[in-house]
Amino acid sequence: MQPYTQNWTQVTEFVMVGFAGVHEAHFLFFTLFLTMYLFTVVENLAIILVVSLDHQLWRPMYFFLTHLSCLEISYTSVTVPKMLTGFIGVDGGKNISYAGCLSQLFIFTFLGATECFLLAAMAYDRYVAICMPLRYGALVSWGTCIHLAAACWLVGFLTPIFPIYLMSQLKFCGPNVIDHFFCDASPLLALSCSDVTLKETTDFLVSLAVLLASFSVITVSYGNIVWTLLHIRSAAERRKAFSTCAAHLIVVSLFYGTLFFMYVRTKMASSMNFNKVISVFYSIVTPMFNPLIYSLRNKEVKGALGRAFTLKSWKGQ
């Protein structure tokens, strides 16, 4: 927190430092992040299109997967394009207005919370499919899927409203340099000349509530799945049952592992440069790997991709 003085001027624009220590390699980093961003968008769009066009994938699990892909595209698009303009030295590329900064933080938090709840909904889907297969059609109907997905988006949208309101009440007297590549809460609070105790406490409690609520659903779901698998005598059936949720379990481990480490930690573990690395991992690297994890470990998705490319090749001839 910056010291508060009577003669202060409210900051109307912030400057994002980004990765200030890579001046000599800025073009290399620009190329790397641009490639990762384009790859993320293309592969997630491919998942959405394949699931939408292939009738064999019109099932709840893939319905949720398309929502996850939409989230991944939006998640990276909120931060990466602005970061890229900072690398290439465009005039004003590192600048962002006060309103734009709060908007970026709101959207980023909204999408992150929505993904937490969506992963929980996907875990519930796998739990019913493995533990109660005879009741799957009744418990996970299309109506239920639509309601679950809508609830995930709605609760995710509501999550950042109060924290962003508290942020908007803080005074920013200068300096206006954000030591990050996007408007995250921690570097913004470091610039405020107001008392940020309430804001920090609220952020911690909201983040903890979202993580624990969604992660509890996932933990209970997979606890029941493991219990069911232990009572299946056939090793082949156990492997087949587990393979249906292996990709989701890997994605959950990557996503929640970084989020728990990033947002539920002591201040002593805080380092802005280290936070940037962790932020790159969960905001850029993980969204790029998720479609690969689902497609490489899922025979149905690979089959659908194969059919799509075969049909395209046949039409081209």
Side-chain angles (χ1 to χ4, degrees), residues 158-203:
L158 295 175
T159 296
I161 289 179
F162 186 57
I164 295 300
Y165 168 75
L166 291 179
M167 182 71 81
S168 69
Q169 301 305 300
L170 299 180
K171 296 179 176 65
F172 293 91
C173 320
N176 66 337
V177 179
I178 300 175
D179 190 10
H180 214 304
F181 62 88
F182 71 97
C183 289
D184 201 6
S186 297
L188 269 178
L189 291 178
L191 299 179
S192 176
C193 48
S194 304
D195 183 1
V196 299
T197 304
L198 176 61
K199 169 62 177 163
E200 286 182 327
T201 303
T202 301
D203 283 353

Side-chain angles (χ1 to χ4, degrees), residues 242-256:
F242 183 75
S243 67
T244 65
C245 54
H248 177 257
L249 193 56
I250 294 172
V251 170
V252 165
S253 300
L254 290 173
F255 185 75
Y256 280 87

Side-chain angles (χ1 to χ4, degrees), residues 3 7 18 32 52 66 82 99 116-117 123 136 220 224 264 270 290-291 308:
N7 300 321
L32 175 63
S52 301
T66 58
K82 184 64 179 176
C116 287
F117 295 121
Y136 183 78
V220 171
N224 282 285
V264 188
S270 226
N290 285 352

